[in-house]
Amino acid sequence: MTQAERRRFLLESLLHERPELSNRSIPADEQEQKALLRSLFNVRTPLPASGEFLAVQDAYLQQETAEKGVTDFHTLRPVRDGLYLWRGDITTLRCDAIVNAANSRMLGCFLPCHGCIDNAIHTFAGIQLRLACAQQMRLQGREEEAGGAKITPGFNLPCRFVLHTVGPIVGARLTKREWAQLASCYRSCLALAEQNGIKSIAFCCISTGEFHFPPDQAAEIAIQTVQEYKEQTHSHIEVIFNVFKQSDERIYRRLLGAEE
């Protein structure tokens, strides 16, 4: 099947799952089709799918990621021993694990085509990721608290694993509790990664988007916590600080003492 044929198959299958949308026509425009497909992925409840659906979805998502271009972290140059800074789309980074800034439900973002990292990771990992998260949350029996971490396979992402952590939500002013919670996110992810034999991990800018943590202070916490963990545990885990905005890249370069 071509990518266009795979996309149409997936659209027809997902529309058929939702009786209220079963009569909706599939747009002719490729970009409109991609937006509709992502929207349907985003709103789908965590349920199993047929083997045929998964085979087509997996082939489609892997090809989409390949066309965007995959970056292997081994090609990056460290800014400090065992520390890297990379600006780009974390869903295209090949390393052992990436970190997802999740919400307390831990099921991904249900807002169609939302710009958050949670939405992107769940979209390009495939529907298996939401189901894996739902199974863990069902066993836990309560929403996830800020500062912890959970691990799932990466499914169709270039990484082997995804670590999911809930960062603090900042209100009118930043508190010591929120500072401690964000540091706990980094420590929890690092500890869980090493328990699972992970040798390289990419952190996004946890809590700095929808959760309004000040970016400069968040970066300071990230770097300090990672360095303290590595020193205290004598860990050799390689850490990539992933940024998407140029402003965040400037903050990390300044704090890491990295040249432009």
Side-chain angles (χ1 to χ4, degrees), residues 6-7 9-15 17 37 40-41 44 47-61 126-128:
R6 291 178 183 127
R7 187 167 53 249
F9 171 87
L10 295 171
L11 284 167
E12 290 172 349
S13 300
L14 291 168
L15 287 169
E17 283 184 346
L37 180 58
L40 292 169
F41 279 148
R44 189 179 189 272
L47 295 170
S50 69
E52 182 184 16
F53 179 92
L54 293 177
V56 174
Q57 176 213 240
D58 294 355
Y60 178 80
L61 291 175
I127 63 170
Q128 300 98 313

Side-chain angles (χ1 to χ4, degrees), residues 19-195:
E20 73 277 16
L21 298 176
S22 59
N23 292 324
R24 176 165 180 170
S25 60
I26 296 173
D29 180 76
E30 179 181 332
Q31 293 307 313
E32 289 181 13
Q33 287 183 6
K34 288 184 175 183
L36 176 58
L37 180 58
R38 180 166 181 166
S39 298
L40 292 169
F41 279 148
N42 296 159
V43 300
R44 189 179 189 272
T45 54
L47 295 170
S50 69
E52 182 184 16
F53 179 92
L54 293 177
V56 174
Q57 176 213 240
D58 294 355
Y60 178 80
L61 291 175
Q62 290 168 27
Q63 181 63 31
E64 287 292 294
T65 297
E67 289 177 5
K68 286 191 291 184
V70 173
T71 298
D72 192 312
F73 99 94
H74 287 107
T75 66
L76 306 178
R77 195 169 141 195
V79 292
R80 289 187 187 176
D81 187 30
L83 299 181
Y84 301 77
L85 176 61
W86 180 68
R87 182 182 170 201
D89 178 355
I90 202 169
T91 67
T92 65
L93 183 62
R94 179 175 289 118
C95 57
D96 281 355
I98 64 171
V99 173
N100 177 31
N103 58 51
S104 60
R105 291 180 65 195
M106 279 274 187
L107 297 179
C109 172
F110 282 80
L111 295 176
C113 297
H114 192 249
C116 68
I117 194 168
D118 198 14
N119 188 292
I121 287 174
H122 273 265
T123 296
F124 293 101
I127 63 170
Q128 300 98 313
L129 182 55
R130 180 167 284 168
L131 183 59
C133 290
Q135 289 167 344
Q136 291 197 35
M137 295 307 290
R138 197 175 301 118
L139 290 172
Q140 180 165 287
R142 58 175 173 77
E143 291 194 346
E144 184 79 357
E145 296 179 2
K150 284 186 167 47
I151 188 169
T152 64
F155 296 105
N156 291 293
L157 296 168
C159 59
R160 293 169 52 216
F161 298 100
V162 178
L163 278 78
H164 308 261
T165 188
V166 179
I169 300 174
V170 177
R173 64 182 183 85
L174 182 62
T175 66
K176 289 182 179 179
R177 181 170 183 267
E178 292 154 359
W179 185 286
Q181 286 174 328
L182 185 58
S184 180
C185 288
Y186 286 90
R187 283 194 302 271
S188 297
C189 286
L190 289 165
L192 184 58
E194 296 214 281
Q195 289 168 21

